[in-house]
Coordinates of all heavy atoms in Angstrom, one line a residue:
N543 N -41.2 20.5 15.2 CA -41.8 19.4 14.4 C -40.8 18.3 14.2 O -39.7 18.5 13.7 CB -42.3 20.0 13.1 CG -43.0 19.0 12.2 OD1 -42.8 17.8 12.2 ND2 -43.9 19.5 11.4
Q544 N -41.1 17.1 14.6 CA -40.2 16.0 14.5 C -39.8 15.6 13.1 O -38.7 15.2 12.8 CB -40.7 14.8 15.3 CG -39.7 13.7 15.6 CD -40.2 12.7 16.5 OE1 -41.4 12.6 16.8 NE2 -39.3 11.9 17.0
T545 N -40.8 15.7 12.2 CA -40.6 15.4 10.8 C -39.5 16.4 10.2 O -38.6 15.9 9.5 CB -41.9 15.5 10.0 OG1 -42.8 14.6 10.6 CG2 -41.6 15.1 8.5
R546 N -39.7 17.6 10.5 CA -38.7 18.6 10.0 C -37.3 18.3 10.5 O -36.3 18.5 9.8 CB -39.2 20.0 10.4 CG -38.2 21.1 9.9 CD -38.1 21.1 8.3 NE -37.0 21.9 7.9 CZ -36.1 21.5 7.0 NH1 -36.3 20.4 6.4 NH2 -35.1 22.2 6.7
G547 N -37.3 17.9 11.8 CA -36.0 17.6 12.4 C -35.3 16.4 11.6 O -34.1 16.5 11.3
A548 N -36.1 15.4 11.3 CA -35.5 14.3 10.5 C -35.1 14.7 9.1 O -34.1 14.3 8.6 CB -36.6 13.2 10.4
D549 N -35.9 15.6 8.5 CA -35.6 16.1 7.2 C -34.3 16.9 7.2 O -33.4 16.8 6.3 CB -36.7 17.0 6.6 CG -37.9 16.2 6.2 OD1 -37.8 15.0 6.1 OD2 -39.0 16.9 6.0
Q550 N -34.1 17.8 8.3 CA -32.9 18.6 8.4 C -31.7 17.7 8.6 O -30.7 18.0 8.0 CB -33.1 19.5 9.6 CG -31.9 20.5 9.8 CD -31.7 21.4 8.6 OE1 -32.7 22.0 8.2 NE2 -30.5 21.6 8.2
L551 N -31.8 16.7 9.4 CA -30.7 15.7 9.6 C -30.3 15.1 8.3 O -29.1 15.0 8.0 CB -31.1 14.7 10.7 CG -30.0 13.7 11.2 CD1 -28.9 14.5 11.8 CD2 -30.6 12.8 12.2
T552 N -31.3 14.7 7.5 CA -31.0 14.1 6.2 C -30.3 15.1 5.3 O -29.3 14.7 4.7 CB -32.3 13.6 5.6 OG1 -32.9 12.6 6.4 CG2 -32.0 12.9 4.2
D553 N -30.8 16.3 5.3 CA -30.2 17.4 4.5 C -28.7 17.6 5.0 O -27.8 17.8 4.1 CB -31.0 18.7 4.6 CG -32.3 18.6 3.9 OD1 -32.6 17.7 3.1 OD2 -33.1 19.5 4.1
D554 N -28.5 17.7 6.3 CA -27.2 17.9 6.8 C -26.2 16.8 6.4 O -25.1 17.1 6.1 CB -27.3 18.1 8.3 CG -27.9 19.3 8.8 OD1 -28.2 20.2 8.0 OD2 -28.2 19.4 10.0
R555 N -26.7 15.6 6.5 CA -25.9 14.5 6.1 C -25.5 14.5 4.6 O -24.4 14.2 4.2 CB -26.5 13.1 6.4 CG -26.5 12.8 7.9 CD -27.1 11.5 8.2 NE -27.1 11.2 9.6 CZ -28.0 10.5 10.2 NH1 -29.0 9.9 9.6 NH2 -28.0 10.3 11.5
F556 N -26.5 14.9 3.8 CA -26.3 15.0 2.4 C -25.3 16.0 2.1 O -24.3 15.8 1.3 CB -27.6 15.3 1.7 CG -27.5 15.4 0.2 CD1 -27.3 14.2 -0.6 CD2 -27.6 16.6 -0.5 CE1 -27.2 14.3 -2.0 CE2 -27.5 16.7 -1.8 CZ -27.3 15.5 -2.6
I557 N -25.4 17.2 2.7 CA -24.4 18.3 2.5 C -23.1 17.9 3.0 O -22.0 18.1 2.4 CB -24.9 19.6 3.2 CG1 -26.2 20.1 2.4 CG2 -23.8 20.6 3.2 CD1 -26.9 21.2 3.1
A558 N -23.0 17.3 4.2 CA -21.7 16.8 4.7 C -21.0 15.8 3.8 O -19.8 15.9 3.6 CB -21.9 16.2 6.1
D559 N -21.8 14.9 3.2 CA -21.3 14.0 2.2 C -20.7 14.7 1.0 O -19.7 14.3 0.5 CB -22.3 12.9 1.8 CG -22.6 11.9 2.9 OD1 -21.8 11.8 3.9 OD2 -23.6 11.2 2.8
A560 N -21.5 15.7 0.5 CA -21.1 16.4 -0.6 C -19.8 17.2 -0.4 O -18.9 17.3 -1.2 CB -22.2 17.4 -1.1
I561 N -19.7 17.8 0.8 CA -18.4 18.5 1.2 C -17.3 17.5 1.3 O -16.2 17.8 0.8 CB -18.6 19.2 2.5 CG1 -19.6 20.4 2.3 CG2 -17.3 19.7 3.1 CD1 -20.0 21.1 3.6
G562 N -17.5 16.3 1.9 CA -16.4 15.3 1.9 C -16.0 14.9 0.5 O -14.8 14.7 0.3
D563 N -17.0 14.7 -0.3 CA -16.6 14.3 -1.7 C -15.8 15.4 -2.4 O -14.9 15.2 -3.1 CB -17.9 14.0 -2.5 CG -18.6 12.8 -2.1 OD1 -18.0 11.9 -1.4 OD2 -19.8 12.6 -2.5
A564 N -16.2 16.7 -2.2 CA -15.5 17.8 -2.8 C -14.1 17.9 -2.3 O -13.2 18.1 -3.0 CB -16.3 19.1 -2.5
L565 N -13.9 17.7 -1.0 CA -12.6 17.7 -0.4 C -11.7 16.6 -1.0 O -10.5 16.8 -1.2 CB -12.7 17.6 1.1 CG -13.0 18.8 1.9 CD1 -13.3 18.5 3.4 CD2 -12.0 19.9 1.8
S566 N -12.3 15.5 -1.2 CA -11.5 14.4 -1.8 C -11.1 14.7 -3.2 O -10.2 14.0 -3.7 CB -12.3 13.1 -1.7 OG -13.4 13.1 -2.7
Q567 N -11.7 15.6 -3.9 CA -11.3 16.0 -5.2 C -10.1 16.9 -5.3 O -9.5 17.0 -6.3 CB -12.5 16.7 -6.0 CG -13.7 15.9 -6.1 CD -13.5 14.7 -7.0 OE1 -12.9 14.7 -8.1 NE2 -13.9 13.5 -6.5
L568 N -9.7 17.4 -4.1 CA -8.5 18.3 -4.1 C -7.3 17.5 -4.1 O -7.2 16.4 -3.5 CB -8.6 19.2 -2.8 CG -9.7 20.2 -2.6 CD1 -9.6 20.8 -1.3 CD2 -9.6 21.2 -3.8
D569 N -6.2 18.0 -4.6 CA -4.9 17.4 -4.5 C -4.5 17.4 -3.0 O -5.0 18.3 -2.2 CB -3.8 18.3 -5.2 CG -4.0 18.3 -6.7 OD1 -4.6 17.4 -7.2 OD2 -3.4 19.2 -7.3
D570 N -3.6 16.5 -2.6 CA -3.3 16.4 -1.2 C -2.7 17.7 -0.6 O -3.1 18.1 0.5 CB -2.2 15.3 -1.0 CG -2.8 13.9 -1.2 OD1 -4.0 13.7 -1.1 OD2 -1.9 13.0 -1.4
K571 N -1.9 18.4 -1.4 CA -1.3 19.7 -0.9 C -2.3 20.8 -0.7 O -2.2 21.6 0.2 CB -0.2 20.1 -1.8 CG -0.6 20.5 -3.2 CD 0.6 20.8 -4.1 CE 0.1 21.2 -5.5 NZ 1.3 21.5 -6.4
H572 N -3.4 20.8 -1.5 CA -4.4 21.8 -1.3 C -5.4 21.4 -0.2 O -5.8 22.2 0.6 CB -5.2 22.0 -2.6 CG -4.3 22.5 -3.7 ND1 -3.8 21.8 -4.8 CD2 -3.8 23.8 -3.9 CE1 -3.1 22.5 -5.5 NE2 -3.0 23.7 -5.0
R573 N -5.7 20.1 -0.1 CA -6.6 19.6 1.0 C -5.9 19.9 2.3 O -6.5 20.3 3.3 CB -6.9 18.2 0.8 CG -7.9 17.6 1.8 CD -8.4 16.2 1.6 NE -7.3 15.3 1.2 CZ -7.2 14.8 -0.1 NH1 -8.0 15.2 -1.1 NH2 -6.2 14.0 -0.4
E574 N -4.6 19.6 2.4 CA -3.9 19.7 3.6 C -4.0 21.2 4.2 O -4.3 21.4 5.4 CB -2.4 19.4 3.4 CG -1.6 19.6 4.7 CD -0.1 19.3 4.4 OE1 0.4 19.7 3.3 OE2 0.5 18.7 5.3
V575 N -3.7 22.2 3.4 CA -3.8 23.5 3.9 C -5.2 24.0 4.2 O -5.4 24.7 5.1 CB -3.0 24.6 2.9 CG1 -1.6 24.3 2.8 CG2 -3.7 24.6 1.6
F576 N -6.1 23.5 3.4 CA -7.5 23.8 3.6 C -8.0 23.3 5.0 O -8.6 24.0 5.8 CB -8.4 23.3 2.5 CG -9.9 23.7 2.7 CD1 -10.3 24.9 2.2 CD2 -10.8 22.9 3.4 CE1 -11.6 25.3 2.3 CE2 -12.1 23.3 3.6 CZ -12.5 24.5 3.0
E577 N -7.6 22.0 5.3 CA -8.0 21.4 6.5 C -7.3 22.0 7.7 O -7.9 22.3 8.8 CB -7.7 19.9 6.5 CG -8.7 19.2 5.6 CD -8.4 17.7 5.4 OE1 -7.3 17.2 5.9 OE2 -9.3 17.0 4.8
L578 N -6.0 22.4 7.5 CA -5.3 23.0 8.6 C -5.9 24.4 8.9 O -6.0 24.8 10.1 CB -3.8 23.2 8.3 CG -3.0 21.9 8.3 CD1 -1.6 22.1 7.7 CD2 -2.9 21.3 9.7
R579 N -6.3 25.1 7.9 CA -6.9 26.5 8.1 C -8.3 26.4 8.7 O -8.6 27.1 9.6 CB -6.8 27.2 6.8 CG -7.4 28.6 6.9 CD -6.4 29.5 7.7 NE -6.9 30.9 7.8 CZ -7.2 31.5 8.9 NH1 -6.9 30.9 10.1 NH2 -7.7 32.7 8.9
Y580 N -9.1 25.7 8.0 CA -10.6 25.8 8.4 C -11.1 24.7 9.3 O -12.1 24.9 10.0 CB -11.4 25.8 7.1 CG -11.1 27.0 6.3 CD1 -10.4 26.9 5.1 CD2 -11.5 28.3 6.7 CE1 -10.0 28.1 4.4 CE2 -11.2 29.4 6.0 CZ -10.5 29.3 4.8 OH -10.2 30.4 4.1
M581 N -10.3 23.6 9.5 CA -10.8 22.6 10.4 C -9.9 22.7 11.7 O -10.5 22.5 12.8 CB -10.7 21.2 9.8 CG -11.7 21.1 8.6 SD -11.5 19.6 7.8 CE -12.8 19.8 6.5
E582 N -8.6 22.9 11.5 CA -7.8 23.0 12.7 C -7.6 24.4 13.2 O -7.0 24.7 14.2 CB -6.4 22.4 12.4 CG -6.4 20.9 12.0 CD -6.9 20.0 13.1 OE1 -6.6 20.3 14.2 OE2 -7.6 19.0 12.7
Q583 N -8.0 25.4 12.3 CA -8.0 26.8 12.6 C -6.6 27.3 12.9 O -6.4 28.2 13.8 CB -9.0 27.1 13.8 CG -10.4 26.7 13.4 CD -11.4 27.1 14.5 OE1 -11.1 27.6 15.6 NE2 -12.7 26.9 14.2
L584 N -5.7 26.9 12.1 CA -4.3 27.4 12.2 C -4.2 28.7 11.4 O -4.9 28.9 10.4 CB -3.3 26.4 11.7 CG -3.2 25.1 12.5 CD1 -2.1 24.2 11.8 CD2 -2.9 25.3 13.9
S585 N -3.3 29.5 11.8 CA -3.1 30.8 11.1 C -2.2 30.4 9.8 O -1.6 29.3 9.7 CB -2.3 31.8 11.9 OG -1.0 31.3 12.2
I586 N -2.2 31.4 8.9 CA -1.3 31.2 7.7 C 0.1 30.9 8.1 O 0.8 30.0 7.6 CB -1.4 32.4 6.8 CG1 -2.9 32.7 6.3 CG2 -0.5 32.3 5.6 CD1 -3.4 31.6 5.4
K587 N 0.6 31.7 9.1 CA 2.0 31.5 9.6 C 2.2 30.2 10.2 O 3.2 29.5 9.9 CB 2.3 32.6 10.6 CG 3.7 32.6 11.1 CD 4.0 33.7 12.1 CE 5.5 33.6 12.5 NZ 5.9 34.7 13.3
E588 N 1.2 29.7 11.0 CA 1.4 28.4 11.6 C 1.4 27.3 10.5 O 2.1 26.3 10.6 CB 0.2 28.1 12.6 CG 0.3 29.0 13.8 CD -0.9 28.9 14.7 OE1 -2.1 28.9 14.1 OE2 -0.8 29.0 15.9
I589 N 0.5 27.4 9.5 CA 0.5 26.4 8.4 C 1.8 26.4 7.7 O 2.4 25.4 7.4 CB -0.7 26.7 7.5 CG1 -2.0 26.5 8.2 CG2 -0.6 25.7 6.3 CD1 -3.2 27.1 7.4
S590 N 2.3 27.6 7.4 CA 3.6 27.8 6.7 C 4.7 27.1 7.5 O 5.5 26.3 6.8 CB 3.9 29.3 6.6 OG 5.2 29.5 6.1
E591 N 4.7 27.2 8.8 CA 5.7 26.6 9.6 C 5.5 25.0 9.6 O 6.5 24.3 9.5 CB 5.8 27.1 11.0 CG 6.2 28.6 11.0 CD 6.0 29.3 12.3 OE1 5.4 28.7 13.3 OE2 6.4 30.5 12.4
A592 N 4.3 24.6 9.7 CA 4.0 23.2 9.8 C 4.3 22.4 8.6 O 4.8 21.3 8.6 CB 2.5 23.0 10.1
I593 N 4.1 23.0 7.4 CA 4.4 22.3 6.1 C 5.7 22.8 5.5 O 6.1 22.3 4.4 CB 3.2 22.4 5.1 CG1 3.1 23.9 4.7 CG2 1.9 21.9 5.8 CD1 2.1 24.0 3.5
D594 N 6.4 23.7 6.1 CA 7.7 24.2 5.7 C 7.6 24.8 4.2 O 8.4 24.4 3.4 CB 8.8 23.1 5.7 CG 10.2 23.6 5.6 OD1 10.4 24.7 6.1 OD2 11.0 22.9 5.1
K595 N 6.6 25.6 4.1 CA 6.4 26.3 2.8 C 6.2 27.8 3.1 O 5.8 28.1 4.3 CB 5.2 25.8 2.0 CG 5.3 24.4 1.6 CD 6.4 24.2 0.5 CE 6.4 22.7 0.1 NZ 7.6 22.5 -0.8
S596 N 6.4 28.7 2.2 CA 6.3 30.1 2.4 C 4.8 30.4 2.7 O 3.9 29.7 2.3 CB 6.8 30.9 1.2 OG 5.9 30.8 0.1
E597 N 4.5 31.6 3.3 CA 3.2 32.0 3.5 C 2.5 32.3 2.2 O 1.3 32.0 2.1 CB 3.2 33.3 4.4 CG 3.5 33.0 5.9 CD 3.5 34.2 6.8 OE1 2.6 35.1 6.6 OE2 4.3 34.2 7.7
G598 N 3.2 32.8 1.2 CA 2.6 33.0 -0.1 C 2.2 31.7 -0.7 O 1.1 31.6 -1.4
T599 N 2.9 30.6 -0.5 CA 2.5 29.3 -1.1 C 1.3 28.8 -0.4 O 0.3 28.3 -1.0 CB 3.7 28.3 -0.9 OG1 4.8 28.7 -1.7 CG2 3.3 26.9 -1.3
V600 N 1.2 29.0 0.9 CA 0.0 28.6 1.7 C -1.2 29.4 1.2 O -2.3 28.8 1.0 CB 0.2 28.8 3.2 CG1 -1.1 28.6 4.0 CG2 1.3 27.9 3.7
K601 N -1.1 30.7 1.0 CA -2.2 31.5 0.6 C -2.6 31.1 -0.8 O -3.8 31.0 -1.1 CB -1.8 33.0 0.6 CG -1.7 33.6 1.9 CD -1.2 35.0 1.9 CE -1.0 35.6 3.2 NZ -0.5 37.0 3.2
S602 N -1.7 30.8 -1.7 CA -2.0 30.3 -3.1 C -2.7 29.0 -3.0 O -3.7 28.8 -3.7 CB -0.7 30.2 -3.9 OG -0.9 29.6 -5.1
R603 N -2.3 28.1 -2.2 CA -3.0 26.8 -2.1 C -4.4 26.9 -1.5 O -5.3 26.2 -2.0 CB -2.1 25.8 -1.3 CG -0.9 25.4 -2.0 CD 0.0 24.4 -1.2 NE 1.2 24.1 -1.9 CZ 2.1 23.3 -1.4 NH1 2.0 22.7 -0.3 NH2 3.2 23.0 -2.1
L604 N -4.5 27.8 -0.5 CA -5.8 28.1 0.0 C -6.8 28.7 -1.0 O -8.0 28.3 -1.1 CB -5.7 29.0 1.2 CG -5.4 28.4 2.6 CD1 -5.2 29.4 3.6 CD2 -6.5 27.4 3.0
F605 N -6.3 29.6 -1.8 CA -7.1 30.2 -2.8 C -7.6 29.2 -3.8 O -8.7 29.1 -4.1 CB -6.3 31.3 -3.5 CG -7.0 31.9 -4.7 CD1 -8.0 32.9 -4.5 CD2 -6.8 31.5 -6.0 CE1 -8.7 33.4 -5.6 CE2 -7.5 32.0 -7.1 CZ -8.5 33.0 -6.8
Y606 N -6.6 28.3 -4.3 CA -7.0 27.3 -5.2 C -8.0 26.3 -4.6 O -9.0 26.0 -5.3 CB -5.7 26.5 -5.7 CG -6.1 25.4 -6.6 CD1 -6.3 25.5 -7.9 CD2 -6.3 24.1 -6.0 CE1 -6.6 24.5 -8.8 CE2 -6.6 23.0 -6.9 CZ -6.8 23.2 -8.2 OH -7.2 22.2 -9.0
A607 N -7.8 25.9 -3.4 CA -8.7 24.9 -2.8 C -10.1 25.5 -2.6 O -11.1 24.9 -2.9 CB -8.1 24.5 -1.4
T608 N -10.1 26.8 -2.2 CA -11.4 27.4 -2.0 C -12.2 27.6 -3.3 O -13.4 27.3 -3.4 CB -11.2 28.8 -1.3 OG1 -10.5 28.6 -0.1 CG2 -12.5 29.5 -1.0
K609 N -11.4 28.0 -4.3 CA -12.0 28.1 -5.6 C -12.6 26.8 -6.2 O -13.7 26.7 -6.7 CB -11.0 28.7 -6.6 CG -11.6 29.0 -8.0 CD -10.5 29.7 -8.8 CE -11.1 30.0 -10.2 NZ -10.2 30.7 -11.1
K610 N -11.8 25.8 -6.0 CA -12.2 24.4 -6.5 C -13.4 23.9 -5.7 O -14.4 23.4 -6.3 CB -11.0 23.5 -6.3 CG -11.3 22.0 -6.6 CD -11.3 21.8 -8.1 CE -11.4 20.2 -8.3 NZ -11.7 19.9 -9.7
L611 N -13.4 24.1 -4.4 CA -14.5 23.7 -3.5 C -15.8 24.4 -3.9 O -16.9 23.9 -3.9 CB -14.2 23.8 -2.1 CG -13.2 22.8 -1.5 CD1 -12.8 23.2 -0.1 CD2 -13.7 21.4 -1.6
A612 N -15.6 25.7 -4.1 CA -16.8 26.6 -4.5 C -17.4 26.0 -5.8 O -18.7 26.0 -5.9 CB -16.4 28.0 -4.6
G613 N -16.6 25.7 -6.7 CA -17.2 25.1 -8.0 C -17.8 23.8 -7.8 O -18.9 23.5 -8.3
E614 N -17.2 22.9 -6.9 CA -17.8 21.6 -6.7 C -19.1 21.7 -5.9 O -20.0 20.8 -6.0 CB -16.8 20.7 -5.9 CG -15.5 20.4 -6.6 CD -15.8 19.4 -7.7 OE1 -16.7 18.5 -7.6 OE2 -15.1 19.5 -8.8
L615 N -19.2 22.7 -5.1 CA -20.4 22.9 -4.2 C -21.4 23.9 -4.6 O -22.2 24.4 -3.9 CB -19.9 23.1 -2.7 CG -19.1 22.0 -2.1 CD1 -18.5 22.5 -0.8 CD2 -19.9 20.8 -1.9
E616 N -21.3 24.4 -5.9 CA -22.1 25.4 -6.4 C -23.6 25.2 -6.2 O -24.3 26.1 -5.8 CB -21.8 25.6 -7.9 CG -22.7 26.6 -8.6 CD -22.3 28.0 -8.3 OE1 -21.2 28.3 -7.9 OE2 -23.2 28.9 -8.5
E617 N -24.0 24.0 -6.3 CA -25.4 23.6 -6.2 C -26.0 23.9 -4.8 O -27.2 23.9 -4.6 CB -25.7 22.2 -6.7 CG -25.1 21.2 -5.7 CD -25.3 19.8 -6.3 OE1 -26.3 19.2 -6.1 OE2 -24.3 19.2 -6.9
F618 N -25.1 24.0 -3.8 CA -25.5 24.1 -2.4 C -25.4 25.6 -1.9 O -25.7 25.8 -0.8 CB -24.6 23.2 -1.5 CG -24.8 21.8 -1.8 CD1 -23.8 21.1 -2.5 CD2 -25.9 21.1 -1.3 CE1 -24.0 19.7 -2.8 CE2 -26.1 19.8 -1.6 CZ -25.1 19.1 -2.3
K619 N -25.0 26.5 -2.8 CA -24.7 27.8 -2.3 C -25.9 28.5 -1.6 O -25.8 29.2 -0.6 CB -24.1 28.7 -3.3 CG -25.0 29.3 -4.4 CD -24.3 30.1 -5.3 CE -25.2 30.7 -6.4 NZ -24.4 31.5 -7.3
Y620 N -27.1 28.3 -2.1 CA -28.3 28.9 -1.5 C -28.7 28.1 -0.2 O -29.1 28.8 0.8 CB -29.4 28.9 -2.4 CG -29.1 29.8 -3.6 CD1 -28.9 29.3 -4.9 CD2 -29.0 31.2 -3.4 CE1 -28.5 30.1 -6.0 CE2 -28.6 32.0 -4.5 CZ -28.4 31.5 -5.8 OH -28.1 32.3 -6.8
V621 N -28.5 26.8 -0.2 CA -28.8 26.0 1.0 C -27.9 26.4 2.2 O -28.3 26.6 3.3 CB -28.7 24.5 0.7 CG1 -28.9 23.7 2.0 CG2 -29.7 24.1 -0.3
L622 N -26.6 26.6 1.9 CA -25.6 26.8 2.9 C -25.7 28.3 3.4 O -25.3 28.5 4.5 CB -24.2 26.6 2.3 CG -23.9 25.1 2.0 CD1 -22.5 25.0 1.3 CD2 -23.9 24.2 3.2
K623 N -26.2 29.2 2.6 CA -26.4 30.6 3.1 C -27.5 30.7 4.1 O -27.5 31.6 5.0 CB -26.7 31.5 1.9 CG -25.4 31.8 1.1 CD -25.8 32.9 0.1 CE -24.5 33.2 -0.7 NZ -24.8 34.2 -1.7
N624 N -28.5 29.8 4.1 CA -29.6 29.9 5.0 C -29.5 29.0 6.2 O -28.8 28.3 6.5 CB -30.9 29.5 4.2 CG -31.2 30.5 3.1 OD1 -30.9 31.7 3.3 ND2 -31.7 30.1 2.0

């Protein structure tokens, strides 16, 4: 159905915008490790080496970033699961 396709595209753009807005709410150091991990698909070790921080620091920043994003995107949790 062409109408459903247009609706889906609108929904996808809305969600993408919301994700972009949520990412912009993160501190630079948290956004950096999140993007390196989930967009660039680097390992924890690779991120650690790239930013010259310990793996523990990278994991802590990822945890914080993920928690913050989950809160910012709470309203989309059912949409994103389906």
Side-chain angles (χ1 to χ4, degrees):
N543 184 330
Q544 195 169 12
T545 301
R546 180 61 195 135
D549 290 345
Q550 183 64 46
L551 187 58
T552 300
D553 290 348
D554 290 349
R555 285 186 183 149
F556 181 72
I557 293 169
D559 287 347
I561 292 170
D563 290 345
L565 282 170
S566 73
Q567 298 298 312
L568 295 175
D569 294 339
D570 289 343
K571 64 186 180 182
H572 295 106
R573 183 175 44 254
E574 176 184 39
V575 296
F576 185 87
E577 289 177 350
L578 289 171
R579 180 70 180 122
Y580 296 107
M581 295 174 184
E582 301 297 325
Q583 299 184 354
L584 297 181
S585 69
I586 300 296
K587 183 177 181 176
E588 290 169 325
I589 297 168
S590 171
E591 292 169 357
I593 67 170
D594 197 30
K595 298 291 181 189
S596 72
E597 290 183 31
T599 296
V600 171
K601 289 177 184 178
S602 174
R603 289 179 183 180
L604 276 173
F605 175 81
Y606 175 84
T608 304
K609 185 175 179 178
K610 175 79 171 166
L611 289 173
E614 293 290 326
L615 298 169
E616 176 73 22
E617 67 186 281
F618 297 103
K619 75 179 181 181
Y620 296 109
V621 174
L622 294 173
K623 284 185 179 180
N624 297 325

